[in-house]
Amino acid sequence: MQVEKIMSACRICPRNCGANRTIGQKGQCGAGLLPKIALVSTHMWEEYPISGTKGSGTVFFSHCNLRCVFCQNYTISTEGYGIEVTINRLAEIFLEQQARGVHNINLVSAAQYLPQTAQALQLAKESGLHIPVVYNTNGYETVASLRWLEGLVDIYLPDFKYVSQETASRYSHAADYAKIAEAALAEMRRQQSQDIFYADGLMQKGMIVRHMVLPGQYRDSFLVLEKIKEVLGEDTYVSLLRQYTPLYRATEYREINRLLTSFEYDKVIDHFFQIGLHHGYMQEKSAAKAAYTPLFNGEGVRRGI
């Protein structure tokens, strides 16, 4: 893969901005040529199949190709906090995370550095990286770019944020979000067609689709769940997030300048069951570090909310 050639007219994400990142131009996402890393950590608060008991080895990438007005990590995604590293150094970071004993490598918002990340993963695997690789994404990806990850990513952890064009445009400046995400998630499912778990419940290969319920938007959440079932199937693992907090610019939008109510979240949980989805996680009500609970018990019986 010729990273510099790809970056000389960047079209790796749906923004298709064409920036020449090799001469210092920034993409519409704000990213330059070298991968920029904001945080390397052991994260205990993902869904159990990802975090388990030892944590997930997260690597947070700076910048983002969406502009979500409610972004909880806006200092990283929009303000670009982080440090640039070489591709070789990024490969070393992956190996260092593995040496810490984490269950997996968790690439958080790497889309704007996808060719560099793919190359770093290849180098790391050649040097002994053997734990699963998780690709944690907002879902706004091109199919062509995702194919660079084939054989390198074991677990896809994408968002599916919206179906409504109006809502996607208003809150993420991406009216085409649903169409793009639908194709991207279908490609992820093609690459990892089966959900495979270790005996301890940790995911070895597969896919979990996340959806954060927004205030006043639970009907769009219904459509998201229906689209997931239609495109990916009723056995898709779905994680329903209730952690919305009106941060960043959300205070400028009266309708989402509040917390999510239990009524709204429970409506979405009910719809999950009503349309016949089989596997999922709900988030406890506490806060940002909320635990996740399976929506069904081990015998396939619905849990109480």
Side-chain angles (χ1 to χ4, degrees), residues 216-285:
Q217 298 296 324
Y218 68 85
R219 289 183 178 85
D220 193 59
S221 293
F222 292 173
L223 298 178
V224 168
L225 292 177
E226 291 164 14
K227 182 62 70 173
I228 290 171
K229 181 181 177 183
E230 174 192 335
V231 175
L232 303 174
E234 63 187 18
D235 291 323
T236 305
Y237 283 80
V238 180
S239 183
L240 293 171
L241 311 185
R242 71 184 304 164
Q243 66 195 40
Y244 176 82
T245 305
L247 296 174
Y248 188 39
R249 293 180 53 216
T251 55
E252 301 171 20
Y253 297 77
R254 182 177 179 181
E255 71 275 14
I256 59 170
N257 187 23
R258 62 173 176 84
L259 296 176
L260 184 72
T261 66
S262 294
F263 171 84
E264 291 169 309
Y265 185 71
D266 292 351
K267 278 283 191 182
V268 179
I269 296 289
D270 287 342
H271 198 70
F272 172 96
F273 291 108
Q274 287 167 4
I275 66 173
L277 287 168
H278 296 156
H279 303 296
Y281 303 91
M282 66 180 185
Q283 203 171 30
E284 302 297 338
K285 191 176 180 179

Side-chain angles (χ1 to χ4, degrees), residues 116-134:
Q116 300 94 319
T117 302
Q119 191 171 66
L121 284 172
Q122 186 63 52
L123 290 171
K125 286 176 180 289
E126 290 170 358
S127 297
L129 182 67
H130 59 82
I131 59 177
V133 174
V134 179

